[in-house]
Amino acid sequence: MLYPKESRTREIKDLSGIWQFKIDSENKGIHDNWQSKPLTDTIPMPVPASYNDITQNAKIRDHIGYAWYETKFNVPQRIFADKNVILRFGSATHYAIVWLNGREIIRHKGGFLPFEADITDNIDKTGSNNILTVAVNNELTWQTLPPG
């Protein structure tokens, strides 16, 4: 998978920045459909970054399991005319589930690999905010490569 570069025919919108963040200490977010509405009780978290290294809160720093991220973004209407919209992640350690506006768009396993999904048919075409929600699980298994 090639790294996307902006060109005459390709526009890139970088979603890096401050996202809303919440750890799922009780592992209930997927069961309770946290992705179906905006996350509550969140803290700001830079993306990309390792949440384990950002805060001084031991509960967050030492958390193993699902962590949830959410951001809102707009896609300029001129893109809808004749272009596909691709959402690309550089990586998510180790397992990720991605929802756009409450609809699941991709699952990915492979902590250090990029992944992408065509979201052309899932983005809000009215120019409103799109809500991107990502649940990332950092649990190690026999199929994951440990960090470090």
Side-chain angles (χ1 to χ4, degrees), residues 67-129:
W68 290 69
Y69 294 84
E70 181 180 271
T71 192
K72 295 178 182 175
F73 67 96
N74 293 336
V75 177
Q77 289 183 342
R78 69 182 181 281
I79 290 179
F80 299 113
D82 59 353
K83 297 179 183 170
N84 290 336
V85 180
I86 307 297
L87 179 65
R88 182 186 190 275
F89 289 85
S91 67
T93 305
H94 289 282
Y95 180 72
I97 307 170
V98 181
W99 295 270
L100 181 61
N101 301 322
R103 291 180 298 241
E104 184 177 326
I105 58 169
I106 192 169
R107 289 180 183 232
H108 176 75
K109 185 176 185 180
F112 305 102
L113 300 172
F115 61 100
E116 64 186 24
D118 185 333
I119 61 170
T120 307
D121 295 332
N122 295 315
I123 51 179
D124 187 317
K125 294 177 173 58
T126 66
S128 300
N129 274 334

Side-chain angles (χ1 to χ4, degrees), residues 21-147:
F21 174 82
K22 178 178 188 171
I23 60 170
D24 191 353
S25 56
E26 297 176 20
N27 198 28
K28 63 180 185 176
I30 294 172
H31 179 268
D32 290 351
N33 293 313
W34 285 2
Q35 74 281 0
S36 65
K37 56 188 178 296
L39 293 176
T40 59
D41 303 320
T42 61
I43 62 171
M45 185 64 64
V47 171
S50 173
Y51 70 82
N52 304 94
D53 297 332
I54 300 296
T55 72
Q56 295 180 359
N57 182 333
K59 184 178 177 183
I60 295 173
R61 185 184 63 237
D62 299 335
H63 176 72
I64 301 210
Y66 278 101
W68 290 69
Y69 294 84
E70 181 180 271
T71 192
K72 295 178 182 175
F73 67 96
N74 293 336
V75 177
Q77 289 183 342
R78 69 182 181 281
I79 290 179
F80 299 113
D82 59 353
K83 297 179 183 170
N84 290 336
V85 180
I86 307 297
L87 179 65
R88 182 186 190 275
F89 289 85
S91 67
T93 305
H94 289 282
Y95 180 72
I97 307 170
V98 181
W99 295 270
L100 181 61
N101 301 322
R103 291 180 298 241
E104 184 177 326
I105 58 169
I106 192 169
R107 289 180 183 232
H108 176 75
K109 185 176 185 180
F112 305 102
L113 300 172
F115 61 100
E116 64 186 24
D118 185 333
I119 61 170
T120 307
D121 295 332
N122 295 315
I123 51 179
D124 187 317
K125 294 177 173 58
T126 66
S128 300
N129 274 334
N130 289 279
I131 299 175
L132 182 61
T133 308
V134 183
V136 179
N137 190 318
N138 65 352
E139 293 178 80
L140 294 175
T141 69
W142 290 106
Q143 289 75 40
T144 58
L145 182 65

